[in-house]
Amino acid sequence: MSTKDTYQKFMRMPIFFHLSAAILLFLLLVILVLKSLSIYTRHNQAVIVPDVKGLQIEEATVFFASNGLRYQIADSIYSREVSPGAIVELMPVAGSKVKDGRIIFVTVNAKGEQRVELPDVADLSYRQAYALLQARGFTSIETKYVPGRYRDLAIKVESNGRTLKPGETIPISARLVLSVSDGVPEEEAETEQEQREVTEEN
């Protein structure tokens, strides 16, 4: 029987048969698509993110590999609570269920204390200068008022008795002293000091 004869015989069959064949073909196609998606997305296959916080990245690599996971260093911070180079944070967090082959983003502890560039705060208002230092990450900031014509005007930044230069790179944990004008010119301050000394002598 030729292909033409087979086609003509099929077309002479009742409409119900044609409809049933179409529905069956559609169902087979749906099942095939769902099965393919299940395989592609590894449906119901999950692994647990291991708790590797505190381990060196070289040690954690073994745990990631044994669980079918990959890792990528996303950031580094400085902390005195864990050893340099150790893992501080994971994303997704330890204990999370993820698909096999998922990339785990890790944050490691810097091997040296973080250093930042000192901004130029001279001639800024006290509030602006203080906020700018905080924005750079400095947390230990002391304020010292010194003679100056304009009150609450930032003059300089010191650390350990040394005047720091703008743009200088220093440890983020450095203890800073922000010198701010008290609104009394140096000449007037000296005059007032001399008057006080004379009063005390009398």
Side-chain angles (χ1 to χ4, degrees), residues 1 31 34 49 67 77 89 149 158 160 165 175 200:
M1 184 181 292
I31 292 172
L34 291 176
V49 177
N67 285 278
I77 61 174
E89 293 292 341
R149 184 174 300 277
E158 298 174 290
N160 296 322
K165 298 178 181 178
R175 299 176 65 86
E200 290 174 359

Side-chain angles (χ1 to χ4, degrees), residues 172-186:
I172 200 168
S173 62
R175 299 176 65 86
L176 304 181
V177 178
L178 175 62
S179 294
V180 180
S181 172
D182 61 3
V184 180
E186 190 171 353

Side-chain angles (χ1 to χ4, degrees), residues 189-201:
E190 291 177 354
T191 301
E192 290 179 1
Q193 178 65 26
E194 291 174 357
Q195 290 176 348
R196 281 197 298 269
E197 291 176 355
V198 170
T199 301
E200 290 174 359
E201 289 177 358

